[in-house]
Amino acid sequence: LMACAKVISQFELLGPGDAGRRREWSDEEKIRIVEESFRGHRQGSATARRHGISRSLLTLWRRAYRENRLVASPEGFMAVSIAPGPVAGPESGTDADARIEIVLANGRRILVPAGIDPGSLARLLPVLERA
C-alpha cells in the first residue's frame, strides 16, 4: 500500500468586512513617520517595519516630504501676521487696486486683490501650499 501524504498550507481567508484593509494615513502621520525615519543611521527600514508599511511607500513619502507635498492640517487655520505696509502717496491707485500679501507656511509669498472672495481664497491657499 502507498502511504497517503497530506499537505496542509497556511493561508488567510479574507471575509467581506476585511476588504478595506488598506490604512489611510493623514499627512500629519506621514510627516511624523518620515521625520522619525530621518533620525539616526539607516532608520528607514526599521521605521517602515515598526509602522507596518513597505520601505518603498516610506521612500515615496520621503520624496513628497522633501518636495513640500505633505501638508499638515491643510484645511485648518493658518498663521497670519499683519505688517505695516507702505504709506499711500499721491501716486497710489484707488482702493480697487489694493492688494494683500500673504506669506504661506512653505515660504512662498502671494499678492491677492483686497476684495477677493474669502471662500475662493480659502480654496486657493491649500492648493498653493501643496504646489
Side-chain angles (χ1 to χ4, degrees):
L1 282 187
M2 182 179 225
C4 184
K6 188 174 185 180
V7 177
I8 300 175
S9 63
Q10 292 187 358
F11 61 92
E12 184 178 4
L13 182 61
L14 299 177
D18 296 329
R21 282 194 148 189
R22 284 186 146 184
R23 167 127 190 236
E24 292 292 324
W25 298 88
S26 69
D27 280 357
E28 289 88 0
E29 291 172 311
K30 291 176 187 178
I31 290 170
R32 183 181 50 78
I33 292 169
V34 166
E35 288 176 347
E36 178 184 328
S37 76
F38 287 139
R39 289 187 212 116
H41 180 66
R42 299 179 64 115
Q43 289 297 312
S45 295
T47 302
R49 267 192 310 275
R50 192 169 27 260
H51 293 283
I53 60 174
S54 69
R55 179 71 172 99
S56 61
L57 180 59
L58 180 58
T59 301
L60 290 174
W61 290 356
R62 283 175 146 189
R63 182 178 305 128
Y65 179 86
R66 283 190 300 271
E67 295 171 357
N68 291 322
R69 290 186 286 126
L70 293 181
V71 181
S73 300
E75 296 178 15
F77 289 101
M78 300 184 83
V80 175
S81 63
I82 300 175
V87 177
E91 70 279 349
S92 295
T94 63
D95 286 341
D97 295 334
R99 302 272 186 253
I100 299 171
E101 179 181 13
I102 300 173
V103 181
L104 303 172
N106 62 12
R108 293 188 178 124
R109 297 175 180 267
I110 61 169
L111 287 171
V112 297
I116 190 170
D117 173 55
S120 298
L121 184 59
R123 288 187 304 274
L124 177 65
L125 290 177
V127 172
L128 294 173
E129 277 290 342
R130 289 189 300 263

